[in-house]
């Protein structure tokens, strides 16, 4: 199962350093979190400060979990949120959500 996560560009070693045996539980909590939805809602509502705070929180947790797969997208999200470019934020967010679903599927198959 860790091989599947590594194939999705997740540094499981870094995540396990941070969380130890609770790593998979924390990873599952992260991909099931409502932050992804909150980010989309903040962008749709034009609440750019809220969107920026949400993406910062998501980025910090993703780094702890070793989610290398999100680094580029989160950088793009931060830049486009700063520019208030809702269309581009939504495009990038759709890529993030697709990757999130892939991670959820990999975690489900372990159970």
């Amino acid at each position: 199962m860790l091989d599947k996560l590594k194939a999705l560009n997740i540094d499981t070693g870094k995540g396990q350093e941070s969380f130890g045996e609770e790593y998979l539980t924390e990873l599952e909590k992260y991909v099931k979190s409502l932050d992804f939805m909150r980010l989309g809602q903040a962008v749709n509502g034009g609440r750019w400060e809220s969107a920026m705070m949400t993406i910062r929180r998501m980025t910090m947790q993703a780094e702890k979990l070793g989610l290398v797969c999100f680094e580029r997208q989160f950088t793009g999200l931060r830049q486009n949120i700063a520019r208030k470019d809702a269309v581009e934020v939504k495009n990038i967010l759709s890529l993030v959500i697709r990757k999130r679903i892939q991670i959820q599927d990999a975690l489900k198959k372990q159970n």
Side-chain angles (χ1 to χ4, degrees):
M1 203 270 305
L2 291 178
D3 292 337
K4 289 180 184 177
L5 293 175
K6 287 178 184 176
L8 292 171
N9 200 13
I10 298 173
D11 183 358
T12 56
K14 182 177 181 181
Q16 287 176 328
E17 277 180 28
S18 299
F19 295 101
E21 291 181 20
E22 297 295 314
Y23 174 65
L24 293 177
T25 306
E26 291 297 321
L27 180 59
E28 192 168 0
K29 249 196 276 188
Y30 181 78
V31 295
K32 288 183 175 180
S33 78
L34 297 178
D35 283 340
F36 295 91
M37 182 183 68
R38 285 186 192 112
L39 179 58
Q41 288 176 337
V43 171
N44 280 333
R47 295 185 317 274
W48 298 105
E49 287 179 30
S50 175
M52 188 61 85
M53 289 187 323
T54 302
I55 194 63
R56 281 191 188 125
R57 184 175 52 250
M58 291 173 70
T59 301
M60 288 180 357
Q61 188 67 4
E63 286 174 6
K64 287 181 191 173
L65 289 165
L67 296 171
V68 179
C69 57
F70 288 144
E71 284 179 3
R72 268 181 113 167
Q73 284 92 353
F74 283 0
T75 299
L77 285 169
R78 282 192 307 276
Q79 291 171 347
N80 286 293
I81 289 170
R83 280 191 231 126
K84 299 179 181 177
D85 185 347
V87 173
E88 193 57 34
V89 170
K90 289 174 189 175
N91 288 337
I92 297 170
L93 193 54
S94 70
L95 297 172
V96 169
I97 290 174
R98 188 175 310 140
K99 181 62 80 172
R100 173 187 176 213
I101 290 168
Q102 290 174 343
I103 294 169
Q104 284 177 325
D105 287 345
L107 289 171
K108 261 187 228 166
K109 291 177 183 169
Q110 73 138 42
N111 293 335

